Amino acid sequence: MASYSSICCLLLVFMLVSCTRGESPYRFFNWNVTYGDIYPLGVKQQGILINGQFPGPSIEAVTNDNLIISVFNALDEPFLISWNGVQQRRNSWQDGVYGTNCPIPPGKNFTYVLQVKDQIGSYFYFPSLAFHKAAGGYGGIKIASRPLIPVPFDPPAGDFTILAGDWYKKNHTDLKAILDSGSDLPFPDGLVINGRGSNANTFTVDQGKTYRFRISNVGISTSINFRIQGHKMLLVEVEGTHTLQNTYDSLDIHLGQSYSVLVRADQPPQGYYIVISTRFTSQVLSATSVLHYSNSAGSVSGPPPGGPTTQIDWSLEQARSLRRNLTASGPRPNPQGSYHYGLINTTHTIRLQNTAPTINGKQRYAVNSVSFIPADTPLKLADYFKIPGVFSVGSIPDNPTGGGAYLQTSVMAADFRGFAEVVFENPEDTLQSWHIDGHNFFAVGMDGGEWTPASRLTYNLRDTISRCTVQVYPKSWTAVYVPLDNVGMWNIRSENWARQYLGQQFYLRVYSSANSWRDEYPIPSNALLCGRAVGHRT
């Protein structure tokens, strides 16, 4: 009997060791979130720091790595972090927006447990509550390919992250108060690169070598154009998709978007301007950094190179030039072109129209006439615990109604494994930027005017880019195909943060009746409970 027990114990140990060896690696992060003095535009402000840093520490991972991120909230208000572009496969519990997570109370800790499953590329994280994004708290995310998966370019000599965007001299509490009073935000005061104003950042390169720049627009209100004086940029990746390697003098990067380019240091050794400037604004803001050649004692010279300003057609044509590299491997060894999205029949068409109504005498923003208001309980928790009265599925129509706008906690139903056509319709004269959590989508078409079924004849059904954030030009439309392959409660939102805060968002409930771990992980044992979820057991 003793011998039998010993054999069983040895078998159990062997099985546990085998499972551990087969599991993807773990990476651990401990973050302390505090207020601190920052000077992005030369004026002292109260910013949000992570481990004393602004921007926060970079996350570097490899496809399928497990990330254990322990966040301690030392602020005097609730706090959440979301992961822009990380899909949270089967795991919307970790998405970090109020529709899925209770905020981390002041003085408390929460540990995110997430996996960058089947992903590569460039992304960023940001604080999702209130108006914290205007105070910092953001940082870059790099997900590298696994060693055996070929990458369609040689390893660069260096890898730089650029977190760029607009900035306000007012603190986030003052900006939030402006919106709460029923007014819109003023024009930004300036632009920043990695949390600092002009010429405060230097990126040093060796002559003759090639470098990777990962650029994200982490601003809250404005599209930007990015360029490097005297240098071409080879586009290689957009939000996890390897692209055809087209060469650009400058790139438009809209709110919430991330691009990855290769830059060869092939010019005479000196300093060169790295420039960002606002797009589609009557007043043009700009900021600069310096590309410095290591074998040069010289500094930058001449004026920074100018870029496009209000030209929409130029930007539209550039957007259409983005193509997927069909022969390159993605996160898995199979080519990106092996998924023939254009041959799949769509199961559902959703048309989403943005508007800017006045409701109860205050400025609001809406989708299909519904201006989102948060519930007293995160929607994911209410759904899981079957708490009535928090939301109702179908509380937002899937087509524009043309009716008067109203306030609602809006949730749209979607069937797991559906394949939806989503058309973003923008009748306004401002550019819109839309993001879908939990999914990548194929940006199949965009054009001016009104979308009609005949617009489908112009779709790119072969090699369009797959991404998670897309722009919609003024008085235009953009169509995407979305594989609804991720069960959960997912935020669809404007990346213009004033619009998001004042209602231009809703939640898509991707539902599977199987109630199986195969489709969705169970609620985490450490899940925070709030609102009407208090008292329930995880």
Side-chain angles (χ1 to χ4, degrees):
M1 188 70 179
S3 176
Y4 177 77
S5 299
S6 300
I7 292 172
C8 287
C9 288
L10 287 172
L11 283 173
L12 180 60
V13 169
F14 176 78
M15 290 172 64
L16 289 172
V17 170
S18 298
C19 290
T20 302
R21 286 177 176 172
E23 195 170 14
S24 298
Y26 282 76
R27 297 177 187 264
F28 295 88
F29 305 83
N30 288 299
W31 288 357
N32 188 36
V33 181
T34 62
Y35 293 122
D37 292 339
I38 59 175
Y39 301 81
L41 297 178
V43 176
K44 180 180 176 180
Q45 293 178 251
Q46 183 188 71
I48 294 178
L49 314 180
I50 299 180
N51 292 351
Q53 302 175 41
F54 169 58
S58 178
I59 292 176
E60 298 190 14
V62 177
T63 301
N64 293 348
D65 279 359
N66 296 282
L67 309 181
I68 314 299
I69 306 171
S70 181
V71 178
F72 179 78
N73 177 17
L75 308 181
D76 58 3
E77 55 186 324
F79 185 78
L80 273 178
I81 288 182
S82 189
W83 323 91
N84 207 75
V86 177
Q87 292 181 20
Q88 313 290 0
R89 304 298 301 177
R90 299 189 293 162
N91 200 15
S92 67
W93 303 108
Q94 308 294 334
D95 202 28
V97 291
Y98 181 67
T100 58
N101 294 96
C102 292
I104 307 170
K108 299 296 182 180
N109 183 85
F110 178 72
T111 299
Y112 292 88
V113 181
L114 54 96
Q115 185 181 29
V116 288
K117 178 68 175 171
D118 290 336
Q119 286 193 264
I120 59 168
S122 311
Y123 310 96
F124 63 93
Y125 61 85
F126 68 95
S128 63
L129 285 186
F131 223 65
H132 291 155
K133 193 179 180 185
Y138 53 71
I141 301 174
K142 305 176 184 178
I143 307 176
S145 296
R146 287 177 291 170
L148 297 179
I149 305 297
V151 175
F153 50 87
D154 293 332
D159 194 319
F160 300 115
T161 293
I162 291 185
L163 304 172
D166 50 61
W167 193 265
Y168 291 82
K169 293 180 180 178
K170 291 182 181 293
N171 288 338
H172 73 280
T173 51
D174 296 329
L175 295 174
K176 180 176 174 291
I178 291 173
L179 297 174
D180 289 339
S181 71
S183 300
D184 202 355
L185 293 182
F187 192 69
D189 294 302
L191 301 180
V192 295
I193 298 173
N194 290 354
R196 307 176 74 183
S198 284
N199 297 333
N201 296 284
T202 297
F203 300 88
T204 300
V205 297
D206 294 333
Q207 191 173 27
K209 295 183 178 180
T210 298
Y211 295 82
R212 184 172 185 169
F213 286 81
R214 303 172 189 257
I215 315 113
S216 295
N217 184 341
V218 295
I220 61 175
S221 65
T222 313
S223 298
I224 60 172
N225 180 267
F226 178 88
R227 52 200 180 273
I228 300 178
Q229 181 184 26
H231 292 74
K232 302 287 187 179
M233 298 182 293
L234 190 71
L235 184 67
V236 293
E237 176 251 331
V238 174
E239 295 164 17
T241 298
H242 290 306
T243 64
L244 282 185
Q245 296 179 8
N246 295 330
T247 300
Y248 298 91
D249 293 316
S250 70
L251 278 171
D252 278 354
I253 306 176
H254 306 284
L255 289 167
Q257 294 184 340
S258 298
Y259 286 71
S260 194
V261 299
L262 297 180
V263 177
R264 184 166 177 79
D266 57 1
Q267 298 301 303
Q270 62 179 63
Y272 296 89
Y273 283 110
I274 298 172
V275 187
I276 60 170
S277 58
T278 56
R279 289 287 270 125
F280 319 115
T281 58
S282 55
Q283 176 187 351
V284 178
L285 301 174
S286 63
T288 57
S289 289
V290 176
L291 184 75
H292 174 71
Y293 279 57
S294 61
N295 59 337
S296 166
S299 60
V300 292
S301 61
T309 53
T310 60
Q311 304 92 328
I312 292 174
D313 288 347
W314 183 95
S315 186
L316 176 61
E317 287 308 308
Q318 182 179 90
R320 287 171 170 165
S321 73
L322 304 182
R323 291 287 188 268
R324 199 160 39 113
N325 187 334
L326 297 179
T327 60
S329 295
R332 295 179 178 181
N334 50 303
Q336 292 183 146
S338 62
Y339 185 83
H340 301 290
Y341 68 91
L343 300 179
I344 302 173
N345 293 326
T346 56
T347 57
H348 190 192
T349 295
I350 302 170
R351 293 170 52 207
L352 303 174
Q353 187 177 96
N354 53 267
T355 53
T358 298
I359 302 177
N360 300 328
K362 293 185 176 182
Q363 176 67 68
R364 297 288 301 184
Y365 296 97
V367 188
N368 289 357
S369 301
V370 185
S371 186
F372 182 87
I373 51 174
D376 61 5
T377 305
L379 310 180
K380 182 64 181 173
L381 293 179
D383 201 22
Y384 179 80
F385 292 121
K386 296 179 171 55
I387 302 171
V390 176
F391 72 93
S392 60
V393 176
S395 45
I396 177 172
D398 56 11
N399 282 277
T401 65
Y406 56 96
L407 304 174
Q408 181 68 265
T409 303
S410 38
V411 177
M412 186 180 294
D415 292 329
F416 181 44
R417 296 202 177 98
F419 193 73
E421 175 188 41
V422 179
V423 182
F424 296 102
E425 301 180 3
N426 178 19
E428 299 182 67
D429 58 5
T430 56
L431 184 138
Q432 308 294 313
S433 187
W434 285 93
H435 176 87
I436 301 180
D437 275 356
H439 297 79
N440 263 26
F441 50 72
F442 298 92
V444 293
M446 55 178 65
D447 206 349
E450 294 185 7
W451 180 89
T452 69
S455 302
R456 294 179 177 127
L457 298 175
T458 68
Y459 285 2
N460 176 356
L461 298 180
R462 182 174 182 270
D463 65 348
T464 193
I465 205 75
S466 174
R467 62 188 315 168
C468 59
T469 308
V470 72
Q471 72 272 23
V472 192
Y473 292 98
K475 298 187 183 304
S476 300
W477 57 267
T478 294
V480 304
Y481 281 177
V482 188
L484 298 172
D485 56 359
N486 200 8
V487 171
M489 187 76 72
W490 301 109
N491 190 224
I492 298 181
R493 63 176 176 266
S494 170
E495 287 288 344
N496 180 306
W497 221 239
R499 285 179 169 262
Q500 179 270 352
Y501 180 77
L502 292 179
Q504 196 167 303
Q505 60 171 309
F506 67 96
Y507 282 81
L508 188 71
R509 180 180 182 255
V510 181
Y511 178 72
S512 169
S513 60
N515 193 26
S516 167
W517 286 21
R518 179 197 63 193
D519 298 337
E520 183 178 31
Y521 294 139
I523 185 171
S525 59
N526 71 331
L528 299 174
L529 301 182
C530 56
R532 287 184 250 177
V534 172
H536 289 77
R537 296 185 60 185
T538 60

